[in-house]
Amino acid sequence: MFLRLVHGVADGNSSELPDLYGEVTDVRHPMATPESEPLTSRRALREHFTVPPEMRESLPKRSVVDVVVHETADPEVIVAEFAYEFTLPDDARSKVPCVFVMRVRDGQIIESRDYIDPIRTYTARGDLDRLHASLRKGVS
């Protein structure tokens, strides 16, 4: 499930991703900037994964690299280290390190903590202005 998820994200298969999750979920992005609310349903995940067409064209290509999956004492839970590697318009590459702690039950993701480096993500997407604006908005 983990590999289907991260490769689906990298490949831009956003319409298929919500089906990897249970109807009721607890997905959190503790490092998100700006902060984000927990995603507690497949419907919320569908909204989360929807990328407007005008943004889809401008997103750099990415792939999944450096995957290490750690099994835990709980057979439903894994800890996965990996990176999204972005290919920028000038063919330079930028890695965004990630760690996911994921619970899968009956073939569906029901809980996940997705730790993704926000500054490297915005940098790799060429979106630092958006990050800056969101940070300024939070400093009223």
Side-chain angles (χ1 to χ4, degrees):
M1 292 307 292
F2 161 73
L3 290 173
R4 286 177 61 193
L5 172 65
V6 296
H7 285 286
V9 168
D11 295 340
N13 297 332
S14 58
S15 64
E16 300 169 14
L17 297 175
D19 295 331
L20 299 176
Y21 293 84
E23 284 292 337
V24 176
T25 63
D26 185 359
V27 178
R28 297 171 191 249
H29 299 90
M31 296 175 67
T33 304
E35 290 182 35
S36 64
E37 294 295 317
L39 302 167
T40 58
S41 68
R42 188 179 292 154
R43 185 173 59 169
L45 285 154
R46 193 168 312 286
E47 290 174 28
H48 171 75
F49 286 123
T50 299
V51 178
E54 65 276 4
M55 283 185 66
R56 197 173 306 135
E57 297 297 320
S58 65
L59 290 175
K61 293 183 189 262
R62 62 181 149 177
S63 58
V64 177
V65 297
D66 305 332
V67 175
V68 179
V69 177
H70 306 276
E71 293 183 17
T72 69
D74 184 335
E76 293 183 339
V77 177
I78 64 161
V79 176
E81 301 174 71
F82 70 103
Y84 284 119
E85 184 174 71
F86 287 77
T87 302
L88 306 174
D90 64 359
D91 285 332
R93 296 186 187 267
S94 177
K95 284 187 183 180
V96 176
C98 308
V99 174
F100 285 11
V101 181
M102 181 180 289
R103 178 178 301 278
V104 176
R105 183 176 297 147
D106 299 326
Q108 294 184 316
I109 303 164
I110 60 164
E111 185 177 3
S112 190
R113 299 298 176 268
D114 304 351
Y115 299 90
I116 304 169
D117 183 321
I119 296 187
R120 289 189 194 179
T121 300
Y122 281 101
T123 301
R125 292 191 317 213
D127 218 358
L128 282 174
D129 289 339
R130 188 167 145 213
L131 171 63
H132 187 255
S134 69
L135 292 172
R136 290 189 61 76
K137 205 184 282 185
V139 182
S140 300

